């Protein structure tokens, strides 16, 4: 074959035919891939030669471009089949926007890996890094990735119009002149989502052992500090909360959000934070949200056949009970408030990944019948029966 085939080859029109090998070389894939797409019914030859070779025309090139583009922007083979078989008109701008988002997500993932490497280098002693510390850092990156993924889902699919971080901000509550500590601040959504509502003369210290969140928040602070009320300022501490020395009677308010499941010695840290409060101060603490067990069972029982989240519910309840006991043992007054929300995830692959992230045991159960579960979720959403999954998150005020 001379030259490279194209959709508009001058002088050849639609009469030009290509063998599977020629089509494969043009696309940079293997002939086996071409045969695979043909078996799946999404790429068909126009005719066969006298020798029995499958022959494709320019319309096959257009179809192959669509397949490879959809594959590159993250669609599964099942989604590609559905889109092409339904004759869906594909918006190039939408595909490019999705491709951009995926590339940016990959770049962020690589940046986090580089941050882990930098942390490992800083923690090296005598040229060696303790394996336990390296494992801890890697686990933390995984948790951050999961948290970022869940946050994105809530931004797009939550049914509650009030965001969690806005709800939490209303329950701090802040007064002018307060000294505040946010332990394990992460990306500080509670602050930058209510930036202009922070009262004047507040001094807010953000503490986290991961630099990426602190750098992100410091960047926001530099860009938007003029929008803050007069006298309010932020400071940033890159510290491990369990190793950090907290000054006694330093803060009017301490926020400990979603960090307790990552703490090895929970009682010890709780005592330290209590000592850091001024007289009349309060600790506001939250846990990661709990997924509705009945809702998940209702979704998956038709395909998996039985209750799938009982152990998860029992572990969540045991953890909540333990933390409530620690709070009550350390503080004289403990009150609990609950934020209710739900997700209607209208994209099958995102719904599947969300279910994976709910619980490790559930992930194993789903993966044992992954294709069946995927097709079941695709059909539900295709029929307009996008499932709704309720969530609850608790906020504790300890005084």
């Amino acid at each position: 074959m001379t030259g490279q085939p194209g959709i508009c080859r001058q002088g050849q029109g639609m009469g030009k035919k290509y063998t599977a090998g020629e089509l494969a070389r043009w696309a940079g894939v293997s002939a086996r891939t071409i045969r695979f797409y043909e078996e799946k019914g999404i790429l068909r030859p126009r005719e066969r030669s006298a020798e029995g070779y499958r022959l494709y025309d320019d319309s096959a090139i257009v179809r192959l471009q669509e397949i490879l583009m959809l594959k590159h922007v993250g669609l599964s083979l099942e989604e590609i089949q559905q889109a092409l078989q339904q004759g869906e008109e594909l918006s190039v701008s939408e595909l490019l926007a999705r491709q951009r988002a995926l590339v940016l997500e990959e770049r962020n993932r690589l940046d986090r890996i580089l941050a882990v490497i930098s942390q490992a280098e800083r923690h090296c002693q005598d040229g060696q890094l303790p394996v336990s510390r390296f494992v801890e850092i890697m686990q933390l990156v995984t948790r951050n990735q999961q948290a970022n993924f869940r946050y994105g889902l809530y931004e797009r699919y939550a049914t509650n119009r009030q965001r969690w971080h806005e709800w939490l901000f209303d329950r701090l509550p802040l007064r002018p002149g307060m000294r505040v500590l946010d332990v394990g601040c992460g990306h500080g959504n509670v602050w930058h989502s209510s930036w202009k509502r922070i009262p004047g003369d507040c001094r807010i210290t953000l503490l986290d052992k991961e630099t990426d969140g602190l750098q992100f928040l410091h960047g926001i602070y530099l860009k938007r500090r003029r929008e803050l009320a007069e006298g309010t300022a932020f400071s940033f501490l890159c510290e491990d909360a369990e190793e950090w020395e907290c000054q006694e009677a330093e803060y009017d308010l301490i926020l400990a959000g979603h960090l307790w499941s990552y703490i090895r010695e929970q009682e010890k840290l709780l005592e330290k934070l209590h000592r850091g409060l001024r007289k009349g101060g309060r600790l506001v603490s939250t846990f990661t949200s709990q997924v509705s067990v009945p809702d998940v069972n209702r979704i998956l029982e038709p395909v998996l056949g039985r209750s799938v989240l009982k152990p998860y519910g029992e572990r969540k309840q045991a953890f909540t009970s333990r933390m409530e006991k620690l709070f009550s043992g350390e503080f004289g007054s403990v009150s609990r408030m609950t934020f209710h929300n739900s997700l209607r995830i209208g994209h099958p692959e995102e719904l599947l990944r969300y279910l994976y992230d709910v619980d490790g045991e559930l992930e194993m159960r789903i993966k044992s019948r992954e294709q069946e579960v995927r097709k079941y979720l695709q059909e539900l959403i295709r029929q307009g029966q996008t499932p709704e999954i309720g969530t609850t998150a608790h906020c504790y005020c300890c005084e």
Side-chain angles (χ1 to χ4, degrees):
M1 180 179 180
T2 60
Q4 191 179 57
I7 298 174
C8 300
R9 299 184 66 182
Q10 188 174 358
Q12 293 183 350
M14 294 296 290
K16 175 65 177 177
K17 299 296 187 296
Y18 313 105
T19 66
E22 289 174 330
L23 194 61
R25 284 195 296 274
W26 174 84
V29 299
S30 67
R32 184 176 179 180
T33 297
I34 301 297
R35 290 195 297 273
F36 176 73
Y37 290 151
E38 183 182 339
E39 291 170 3
K40 294 298 182 181
I42 57 177
L43 183 68
R44 294 184 177 88
R46 173 64 63 181
E47 60 187 69
R48 287 185 177 269
S49 69
E51 295 81 11
Y53 293 108
R54 298 184 304 280
L55 298 177
Y56 303 84
D57 61 12
D58 283 349
S59 66
I61 293 179
V62 174
R63 173 53 61 92
L64 185 56
Q65 283 180 320
E66 290 179 335
I67 295 169
L68 296 178
M69 183 65 170
L70 292 169
K71 184 173 182 291
H72 189 64
V73 300
L75 270 67
S76 68
L77 180 62
E78 289 79 5
E79 290 176 304
I80 294 171
Q81 286 177 304
Q82 183 177 343
L84 296 178
Q85 288 171 358
Q86 290 178 348
E88 180 177 340
E89 298 228 353
L90 303 169
S91 165
V92 174
S93 61
E94 289 177 359
L95 292 177
L96 290 174
R98 184 166 181 179
Q99 185 175 10
R100 174 185 288 276
L102 289 169
V103 170
L104 288 174
E105 182 179 342
E106 179 66 10
R107 186 171 73 181
N108 290 335
R109 186 186 71 82
L110 293 174
D111 286 342
R112 287 192 292 269
I113 293 173
L114 288 173
V116 168
I117 294 172
S118 297
Q119 282 189 332
E121 289 173 341
R122 288 196 300 270
H123 286 87
C124 280
Q125 296 177 353
D126 301 325
Q128 293 185 347
L129 174 69
V131 173
S132 60
R133 180 59 180 161
F134 188 73
V135 170
E136 179 183 350
I137 294 171
M138 292 303 297
Q139 288 176 341
L140 190 58
V141 169
T142 301
R143 290 167 181 160
N144 286 343
Q145 290 175 334
Q146 292 172 338
N148 291 338
F149 171 70
R150 287 194 296 268
Y151 179 76
L153 291 182
Y154 277 100
E155 287 292 294
R156 285 175 284 145
Y157 299 118
T159 61
N160 191 331
R161 293 185 179 181
Q162 185 178 28
R163 297 181 180 181
W164 156 255
H165 297 103
E166 296 168 348
W167 180 89
L168 177 60
F169 184 88
D170 290 338
R171 280 148 187 81
L172 293 179
L174 294 179
R175 299 185 306 275
M178 292 185 76
R179 298 299 181 264
V180 181
L181 171 68
D182 185 352
V183 183
C185 63
H187 286 79
N189 296 313
V190 71
W191 304 112
H192 62 75
S193 64
S194 299
W195 195 254
K196 295 183 180 181
R197 299 171 60 202
I198 302 172
D201 294 319
C202 287
R203 295 290 187 270
I204 302 171
T205 301
L206 305 181
L207 183 149
D208 203 290
K209 64 180 178 180
E210 288 300 300
T211 58
D212 58 344
L214 290 175
Q215 289 171 350
F216 169 76
L217 288 168
H218 190 252
I220 289 179
Y221 178 61
L222 292 178
K223 292 178 182 178
R224 301 184 60 192
R225 57 185 171 184
R226 291 182 179 84
E227 301 174 23
L228 291 169
E230 185 176 355
T232 291
F234 282 80
S235 59
F236 307 86
L237 285 177
C238 186
E239 298 276 1
D240 185 326
E242 294 192 84
E243 299 173 3
W244 167 69
E245 292 296 329
C246 180
Q247 296 295 319
E248 292 191 17
E250 181 77 9
Y251 303 101
D252 301 295
L253 170 69
I254 295 178
L255 174 61
H258 288 21
L259 87 163
W260 294 108
S261 59
Y262 307 142
I263 301 299
R264 295 183 297 273
E265 298 183 77
Q266 296 160 347
E267 187 171 4
K268 185 177 178 180
L269 177 59
L270 190 60
E271 292 173 355
K272 179 165 62 175
L273 296 180
H274 193 181
R275 290 195 302 270
L277 287 171
R278 294 174 175 176
K279 185 177 180 180
R282 67 163 61 93
L283 171 75
V284 175
S285 192
T286 66
F287 308 152
T288 53
S289 60
Q290 180 170 343
V291 175
S292 168
V293 172
D295 286 351
V296 174
N297 285 339
R298 186 163 49 251
I299 294 168
L300 293 177
E301 277 181 352
V303 65
L304 294 182
R306 59 190 175 91
S307 179
V308 293
L309 266 190
K310 183 178 179 181
Y312 161 85
E314 292 173 346
R315 286 195 298 272
K316 280 285 188 177
Q317 183 56 48
F319 176 79
T320 299
S321 298
R322 168 174 166 73
M323 290 308 305
E324 289 180 347
K325 185 176 180 181
L326 289 178
F327 290 151
S328 298
E330 185 65 30
F331 290 88
S333 172
V334 179
S335 59
R336 186 178 86 173
M337 297 162 283
T338 303
F339 179 77
H340 297 280
N341 204 349
S342 63
L343 290 169
R344 298 191 77 249
I345 303 173
H347 190 283
E349 289 301 314
E350 289 183 323
L351 177 56
L352 187 62
R353 181 178 168 186
Y354 174 76
L355 293 170
Y356 283 158
D357 285 349
V358 167
D359 179 66
E361 184 175 330
L362 177 61
E363 180 181 7
M364 293 175 61
R365 292 277 307 281
I366 294 175
K367 284 190 173 179
S368 68
R369 300 173 67 178
E370 183 174 9
Q371 292 304 315
E372 187 178 351
V373 173
R374 176 179 280 110
K375 290 179 180 178
Y376 170 72
L377 296 178
Q378 289 172 345
E379 185 62 20
L380 275 182
I381 293 172
R382 189 187 69 80
Q383 293 178 359
Q385 302 177 30
T386 302
E388 187 167 318
I389 304 174
T391 63
T392 55
H394 300 310
C395 171
Y396 293 85
C397 181
C398 307
E399 300 180 83

